Amino acid sequence: MTLAIPLQYSQSQHLTCTLEVNGLAAVFLVDTGASNSCFDQEKDTLFSLQPKGEQLPMTAASETPLHVRESQKITLSSNQQTLMRLPLMLIDLIPINNALQKQGDPPIDGILGADVLQEKKAVIDYGKQQLLITL
């Protein structure tokens, strides 16, 4: 079975989608180059994300080093259809959201990365502006 998740283009031509994290709507930037899916560490309480372990260094495409903490497994869903349970990397999204806002984009809550896209055999249909996910 395949689920079609609507995609939107931001002002800066990034693709975004709305998914649910533990039942609450969250805006994700779709990033096929990000190895791990990430979420804003400032919103861990709101979305019932339980951090675990110590902060770890993480490399990114920017010069600014990132420090991340893994969350306990969360439920990622779309229209109340569970996609998967997985931990998210909790990171400081302020620098990313500041850069997006300078380009006229609204802030994001998280980044949907290759870990989810590969596991769910995702296909981006640019013509229909949909992310197709295999359930």
Side-chain angles (χ1 to χ4, degrees), residues 15-34:
L15 287 173
T16 62
C17 66
T18 300
L19 299 172
E20 292 110 34
V21 173
N22 293 335
L24 296 175
V27 176
F28 282 84
L29 186 139
V30 179
D31 187 348
T32 60

Side-chain angles (χ1 to χ4, degrees), residues 11-74:
Q11 287 290 109
S12 58
Q13 298 303 300
H14 289 94
L15 287 173
T16 62
C17 66
T18 300
L19 299 172
E20 292 110 34
V21 173
N22 293 335
L24 296 175
V27 176
F28 282 84
L29 186 139
V30 179
D31 187 348
T32 60
S35 54
N36 293 299
S37 294
C38 304
F39 206 78
D40 190 346
Q41 67 186 11
E42 298 298 317
K43 297 181 180 176
D44 60 350
T45 302
L46 176 65
F47 286 87
S48 301
L49 303 177
Q50 300 298 317
K52 68 177 189 178
E54 299 293 317
Q55 281 197 337
L56 304 169
M58 183 174 118
T59 57
S62 68
E63 293 179 17
T64 307
L66 298 173
H67 295 288
V68 303
R69 286 180 76 183
E70 189 176 54
S71 74
Q72 299 287 345
K73 285 190 176 183
I74 59 95

Side-chain angles (χ1 to χ4, degrees), residues 78-123:
S78 177
N79 292 323
Q80 300 179 351
Q81 173 71 52
T82 298
L83 304 177
M84 63 191 304
R85 288 188 41 78
L86 78 157
L88 293 174
M89 294 294 142
L90 301 176
I91 67 169
D92 179 5
L93 283 181
I94 290 173
I96 294 168
N97 278 324
N98 286 343
L100 290 171
Q101 287 178 319
K102 284 179 184 175
Q103 299 177 60
D105 293 338
I108 59 169
D109 299 308
I111 298 169
L112 190 64
D115 54 345
V116 172
L117 299 172
Q118 287 178 339
E119 183 170 327
K120 301 312 285 182
K121 298 177 178 52
V123 174

